[in-house]
Amino acid sequence: MGLELYLDLLSASCRAVYIFARKNSIPFDFQFVDLLKGHHHSKEYREINPLKKLPSLKDGKFILSESVAILFYMCRKYSTPSHWYPPDLHTRARVDEFMAWQHTAIQLPMSKILWIKMLIPMITGEEVPAEKTEQMLVEAKNNMQLFEEKFLQDKMFITGDHISLADLVALVEMMQPMGSKYNVFLNSSKIAEWRMRVELAIGSGLFWEAHDRLMKLAEWDCSTLDPMVKEKICELLQKFK
Amino acid sequence: MPLELFLDLYSPPCRAVYIFARKNGIPFELRPVELGRGEHLKPEFLKVNPLGKVPALKDGNFLLAESVAILLYLSRKYRAATHWYPTELQARARVDEYLAWQHTAVQLPACNVYLCKSLLPHFSGQPVDPVRLDRLLGKLKPALQHLDGQVLATKPFLATEQLSLADLMAFTELMQPTAVGCDIFQDWPQLAAWRARVEAALGPELVQDAHRLVLQPRDPRDAQRDPKLAQELVQRLLERLS
């Protein structure tokens, strides 16, 4: 049995793992775990990951969660080109620094934008109060500014001249609001240019293929939504009120 | 110029960095940053870490933020013993897995319990809200259940058979609510046993030293020093904890 990756490309973390594996020609079986149908709560998947989160990696008997850990694992096991996770002490530290910061500074706010602007209204029929929405957008904007000033600066990519895991993770996360047609790249031409460079370094075909499900989210028929997932989303709405 | 570590020992990630440096005999100068006085938001500190957070490291001209990145940097530069960050592929992955997961699963909810139990009452002058505290403890419960019931069921430490960076981060994080009177270990026997193991492996004196500040009750006069700052802080805390 080869490498198995449990993914739903709706999730930014899954897209990072998928793109990295495909770009580096790492052979794997794509195990689709449909978040919209609540399959991450299934008995089968809970045996893979009791925390019910995506992505997961299964390599023989070894099961691993957390996209950052999975990316590092694949880098090492498959000896991918060193620009992805440079060996130089300072450069590597810069990647580690971003990978740590992004959990709460980028991933969380970007994901919340998708929820607030689209998933919650679509599923519950109710809008999140404008004040909360505004708060969320301001937080995301401020962190994008920090990203530009501290991590990107005037370089082509976060570590300098070459794409690394940090750029990949940053971009897939910043793409998340696009699912609700909200484009965070309009705020800064520097970031918009960086976005293009990262897309080209990955390959536009692979990049857009990975983002297809996200981009089509607005067309999704939410009457097929798993009732348990619907319940959780209604709970989420209460938190924002 | 020696290594400088910008720390507030009230902060768990700062304690992790502090304990690691001391345990590994890494020479450094401690640059205190008092979060309670808003020093992390002042221009002088923002020059060191524009992200406005502690811990931060300054090694000559090299500046670094984020405790996980700092711990990995120190491990590599000072060639720490391999149990901290194992070289074997799967063992290392387990440490990475914990260090990634903990940001939102442990650090966030544990910090919120601490804010509710200690910082908010301190700055607002109001007693602890038991309903809010209960709700926040509830948010931490899934992580504790997972660590106690799944992770520690098969091994003595979080990632492997030996103490690693994962245990160090988890320890200082879980000590945060515990130090201010919310003993989160009491319902979880595997976790309690693990805590004793980690404390023994790190050295009780070093652990005590690092936790000295957070174990002391706060002086109520500190909150009155800058009433405007206190009010702003209370406002932000209430938003965060709602």
Side-chain angles (χ1 to χ4, degrees):
Chain A
M1 187 87 235
L3 188 70
E4 292 173 272
L5 296 176
Y6 292 78
L7 310 168
D8 181 334
L9 297 181
L10 214 48
S11 136
S13 324
C14 289
R15 292 196 296 274
V17 167
Y18 177 77
I19 289 171
F20 186 77
R22 287 280 314 273
K23 181 71 185 168
N24 287 281
S25 307
I26 295 169
F28 68 93
D29 279 329
F30 188 117
Q31 302 287 3
F32 180 42
V33 181
D34 194 334
L35 288 169
L36 296 174
K37 298 212 169 103
H39 288 175
H40 51 309
H41 293 282
S42 72
K43 192 157 156 284
E44 293 89 355
Y45 188 66
R46 270 184 285 144
E47 266 158 46
I48 299 288
N49 183 352
L51 292 167
K52 301 178 273 187
K53 290 173 60 207
L54 296 175
S56 291
L57 169 152
K58 189 165 185 286
D59 195 359
K61 291 209 180 92
F62 180 64
I63 296 177
L64 186 65
S65 62
E66 291 299 322
S67 59
V68 172
I70 292 170
L71 289 167
F72 288 157
Y73 179 83
M74 290 196 292
C75 267
R76 289 176 183 126
K77 179 162 181 180
Y78 299 93
S79 304
T80 53
S82 65
H83 65 81
W84 287 109
Y85 193 42
D88 167 71
L89 184 69
H90 288 182
T91 320
R92 179 161 286 198
R94 216 36 94 210
V95 176
D96 289 335
E97 186 185 53
F98 178 77
M99 299 297 246
W101 183 69
Q102 56 83 19
H103 285 102
T104 52
I106 304 287
Q107 186 175 58
L108 215 51
M110 293 295 161
S111 171
K112 275 190 190 158
I113 292 176
L114 185 67
W115 282 105
I116 289 177
K117 285 206 150 268
M118 191 160 99
L119 289 170
I120 288 175
M122 189 196 237
I123 290 161
T124 66
E126 266 187 75
E127 296 284 333
V128 171
E131 194 192 291
K132 291 281 172 159
T133 305
E134 192 52 39
Q135 221 172 53
M136 199 68 261
L137 294 177
V138 166
E139 189 187 333
K141 191 156 180 238
N142 290 340
N143 288 343
M144 291 282 285
Q145 207 175 334
L146 278 174
F147 171 77
E148 184 178 329
E149 286 165 8
K150 180 188 158 52
F151 289 100
L152 189 55
Q153 296 170 356
D154 288 314
K155 296 168 274 149
M156 300 244 290
F157 298 98
I158 291 167
T159 56
D161 295 335
H162 301 282
I163 189 175
S164 72
L165 291 176
D167 304 280
L168 174 57
V169 167
L171 183 52
V172 295
E173 286 171 2
M174 291 176 191
M175 287 294 294
Q176 199 70 354
M178 296 286 248
S180 57
K181 316 278 184 238
Y182 186 82
N183 185 343
V184 305
F185 305 101
L186 296 175
N187 290 323
S188 154
S189 58
K190 213 184 231 180
I191 296 188
E193 282 159 29
W194 163 83
R195 191 211 71 76
M196 196 53 175
R197 273 195 292 272
V198 178
E199 177 190 320
L200 291 174
I202 288 168
S204 295
L206 174 57
F207 181 81
W208 289 107
E209 184 216 311
H211 286 83
D212 189 56
R213 187 161 150 80
L214 176 72
M215 300 308 283
K216 295 201 167 110
L217 188 56
E219 298 160 29
W220 165 61
D221 173 11
C222 63
S223 67
T224 65
L225 180 65
D226 180 82
M228 183 173 33
V229 179
K230 177 163 184 176
E231 202 185 292
K232 289 205 88 193
I233 292 168
C234 291
E235 278 169 32
L236 208 59
L237 172 62
Q238 296 315 312
K239 260 179 42 181
F240 286 117
K241 282 183 142 173
Chain B
M1 187 82 226
L3 182 72
E4 295 169 83
L5 295 176
F6 294 78
L7 310 173
D8 181 336
L9 294 180
Y10 271 114
S11 143
C14 287
R15 293 197 294 271
V17 168
Y18 176 79
I19 291 172
F20 185 80
R22 289 275 314 272
K23 184 80 183 161
N24 286 279
I26 297 169
F28 67 93
E29 292 203 5
L30 177 59
R31 301 269 179 254
V33 179
E34 258 190 86
L35 295 171
R37 288 193 193 230
E39 283 177 6
H40 55 305
L41 300 171
K42 299 208 172 115
E44 201 181 304
F45 179 70
L46 291 175
K47 273 191 227 140
V48 175
N49 182 12
L51 302 172
K53 288 157 73 189
V54 284
L57 169 153
K58 188 167 191 284
D59 196 0
N61 287 330
F62 181 65
L63 298 169
L64 187 64
E66 293 297 322
S67 56
V68 170
I70 292 171
L71 289 168
L72 292 173
Y73 176 82
L74 293 175
S75 298
R76 286 182 187 121
K77 181 170 177 181
Y78 296 93
R79 300 184 206 285
T82 55
H83 67 84
W84 288 108
Y85 195 50
T87 50
E88 195 273 315
L89 185 67
Q90 291 184 2
R92 177 164 287 198
R94 281 285 165 250
V95 178
D96 287 335
E97 186 183 50
Y98 180 80
L99 294 177
W101 180 70
Q102 58 86 23
H103 286 101
T104 52
V106 180
Q107 186 172 79
L108 207 56
C111 181
N112 284 347
V113 170
Y114 166 77
L115 294 175
C116 176
K117 181 78 166 53
S118 173
L119 219 63
L120 183 56
H122 173 69
F123 281 107
S124 67
Q126 301 297 313
V128 178
D129 179 344
V131 172
R132 184 185 283 128
L133 183 62
D134 215 55
R135 177 173 49 85
L136 294 172
L137 280 165
K139 293 270 162 109
L140 182 55
K141 197 171 165 197
L144 301 176
Q145 197 284 317
H146 178 70
L147 292 173
D148 186 273
Q150 268 120 27
V151 178
L152 291 169
T154 54
K155 46 192 186 300
F157 293 100
L158 295 185
T160 65
E161 303 296 313
Q162 293 184 287
L163 183 80
S164 74
L165 294 177
D167 303 282
L168 178 57
M169 283 293 293
F171 179 81
T172 58
E173 238 10 287
L174 296 177
M175 280 304 292
Q176 193 76 347
T178 305
V180 295
C182 287
D183 183 358
I184 53 91
F185 294 99
Q186 69 188 0
D187 295 327
W188 306 103
Q190 299 297 337
L191 213 46
W194 164 85
R195 171 199 170 169
R197 254 175 255 131
V198 174
E199 208 161 324
L202 293 175
E205 267 176 47
L206 177 55
V207 168
Q208 190 66 20
D209 176 42
H211 287 80
R212 205 181 350 110
L213 259 186
V214 74
L215 283 166
Q216 271 165 22
R218 285 186 185 260
D219 185 343
R221 289 170 299 178
D222 286 346
Q224 307 315 316
R225 221 168 19 202
D226 187 341
K228 187 163 169 281
L229 182 67
Q231 205 178 43
E232 275 173 31
L233 200 58
V234 168
Q235 187 56 25
R236 282 213 313 265
L237 286 172
L238 286 173
E239 271 170 29
R240 176 175 165 153
L241 300 177
S242 68

